[in-house]
Amino acid sequence: MVQVQLKRHALSTMRRQLAPILQYQRLLSSSSAATNRVHIQVTHHSNSEDEDSNLTSSKNRKSFSRLENLRSQLNQEDASLHEFASTPSLQQVSDNSATNAISNIPQRKKAPPRPAKILPKPKWLKASPATSPKYHELRNTVRSLGLATVCEEAKCPNIGECWGGSSQKKPIDPDSEEYANMSEEEKAERAHAGTATATIMIMGDTCTRGCSFCAVKTSRKPPPLDEEEPKKVAEAVKSWGLDYVVLTSVDRDDLEDQGAGHFRRVVQNLKERGGNVTVDEDGKKERGIIVEALTPDFRGDLDLVSLVATSGLDVYAHNIETVERLQKRVRDHRAGYHQSLSVLRHVKTVNPNALTKTSIMLGLGESDEDIRATMREKRVR
């Protein structure tokens, strides 16, 4: 009897604890109905031994029948006593619900894997790193002499390639026996062998114009010219052992001659120190240094253009920068398409032996027809 009461008490307690759980509502309601129908009453009588015996047998029969009824009802339920005890608590149910809610949040899908066959970038598109010994040599010389280069001032990404030529005049064939016997350090140095080219920017590092594409500093009143600059440039080029040097300059609209006289002195000083033509034992002519001058337009003053064009240079360069349609958007308002053409045309008049050169940038909004028209016009001029 006591065991039956304990079981009933345990079932009632468990059902009360599991009442909030929706999935067990049917189980709790049916179990509660079965429990309410079970009533066990125990009475004790001590009148006589016969009465006690009769009462005991009758009580045993009632208890046995009610216990069997209870067991049968429990067997008909969906869950057993062990299953009741192992049912998750409310905290566990809430945690599981939160986990399921998180798992139902749509996750971002990863991008599909890239195809295995991807065309590599062409070798000519990759810039050489600025790590060669020749690069550091040129850079240290520029710093020590207080010179400026357009390569650094304009943040050119090709500085490692232009400055990377080593002291060797001729590159070595990687398939040769000599190359196979070299150490790794010698191979790394020879990898940069060839013509080293530096573009020195004279007349300071500050320009009086403000072209939209240029990264050089601008000012209406830049610092005065360095009178010792022609000597410094010649000293730097001689120490570098360059075969080809490009001189360029900022625009100096603040000066009376716009810097044309200063430009002429720099070129003449270079040619005096290393620009003479020499003849070797085989009768072949070899020239010392080739000088290219990338000049401003001098606001179209052709007399100033003549000062530079007749200075002894080998290449006279002046860039029109872009096609005619985009001139006003790209260049300073003091520059012009036809003004630049007149400069190049005049150079050929005063120095027919000089090579003239110009360049345009692409990717500024020009069309294919704009480019074709510009190239045709340059060919005619």
Side-chain angles (χ1 to χ4, degrees), residues 91-372:
Q91 182 64 33
Q92 292 173 338
V93 172
S94 61
D95 292 344
N96 293 335
S97 300
T99 303
N100 294 333
I102 294 175
S103 62
N104 292 331
I105 298 176
Q107 301 294 327
R108 293 183 59 185
K109 295 183 179 180
K110 294 184 178 180
R114 301 177 65 184
K117 295 182 179 180
I118 299 178
L119 295 177
K121 295 180 180 179
K123 293 183 178 180
W124 54 264
L125 188 61
K126 299 178 182 179
S128 301
T131 57
S132 67
K134 195 66 179 180
Y135 165 81
H136 291 290
E137 180 185 349
L138 266 63
R139 188 174 182 271
N140 293 336
T141 305
V142 168
R143 295 289 187 275
S144 62
L145 294 176
L147 298 175
T149 64
V150 71
C151 315
E152 294 178 304
E153 300 301 328
K155 301 178 176 60
C156 179
N158 299 319
I159 187 171
E161 180 179 353
C162 297
W163 290 24
S166 73
S167 59
Q168 300 292 335
K169 298 302 181 182
K170 295 181 180 180
I172 189 170
D173 185 4
D175 298 330
S176 64
E177 183 178 356
E178 182 183 358
Y179 184 85
N181 295 330
M182 286 183 178
S183 64
E184 293 299 327
E185 295 180 357
E186 292 175 336
K187 290 180 180 180
E189 182 178 357
R190 283 298 188 94
H192 300 279
T195 301
T197 304
T199 303
I200 300 175
M201 188 166 66
I202 61 176
M203 296 194 288
D205 61 354
T206 306
C207 186
T208 55
R209 299 190 184 181
C211 298
S212 61
F213 65 88
C214 188
V216 177
K217 294 183 294 185
T218 60
S219 175
R220 293 181 179 178
K221 287 291 183 181
L225 298 179
D226 182 5
E227 297 298 331
E228 298 295 321
E229 191 171 45
K231 295 181 180 180
K232 291 179 179 179
V233 172
E235 181 181 348
V237 172
K238 182 179 179 180
S239 65
W240 293 337
L242 297 179
D243 305 299
Y244 196 112
V245 62
V246 180
L247 297 176
T248 188
S249 73
V250 293
D251 285 89
R252 293 301 301 260
D253 299 290
D254 59 313
L255 302 176
E256 184 177 356
D257 67 346
Q258 302 178 54
H262 188 86
F263 212 131
R264 179 183 177 87
R265 289 190 293 273
V266 172
V267 175
Q268 288 178 336
N269 206 4
L270 278 174
K271 300 299 285 187
E272 288 174 2
R273 296 200 179 194
N276 296 328
V277 178
T278 59
V279 181
D280 60 12
E281 297 178 354
D282 299 332
K284 296 181 180 180
K285 291 183 179 181
E286 294 182 359
R287 57 192 316 163
I289 186 172
I290 300 175
V291 178
E292 175 183 332
L294 177 58
T295 71
D297 59 9
F298 301 109
R299 286 189 304 211
D301 191 331
L302 299 183
D303 292 336
L304 300 180
V305 174
S306 297
L307 282 178
V308 181
T310 58
S311 62
L313 51 76
D314 301 283
V315 182
Y316 192 107
H318 175 67
N319 294 337
I320 61 173
E321 308 299 358
T322 186
V323 298
E324 183 177 5
R325 181 172 59 86
L326 302 176
Q327 289 284 317
K328 292 183 179 180
R329 183 165 69 89
V330 174
R331 303 179 73 185
D332 187 89
H333 65 90
R334 286 163 285 190
Y337 184 80
H338 294 286
Q339 181 172 282
S340 294
L341 290 180
S342 66
V343 170
L344 294 170
R345 185 167 52 247
H346 183 71
V347 171
K348 278 297 187 181
T349 302
V350 297
N351 187 0
N353 295 325
L355 297 176
T356 54
K357 173 182 172 182
T358 190
S359 302
I360 64 172
M361 296 176 288
L362 300 179
L364 301 176
E366 68 284 342
S367 64
D368 292 346
E369 183 55 36
D370 289 334
I371 299 173
R372 294 189 187 98

Side-chain angles (χ1 to χ4, degrees), residues 41-61:
Q41 297 179 356
V42 180
T43 58
H44 298 276
H45 299 279
S46 57
N47 294 329
S48 62
E49 293 181 359
D50 295 337
E51 291 179 358
D52 292 339
S53 177
N54 294 332
L55 289 174
T56 301
S57 59
S58 174
K59 179 178 65 177
N60 290 337
R61 287 193 301 270

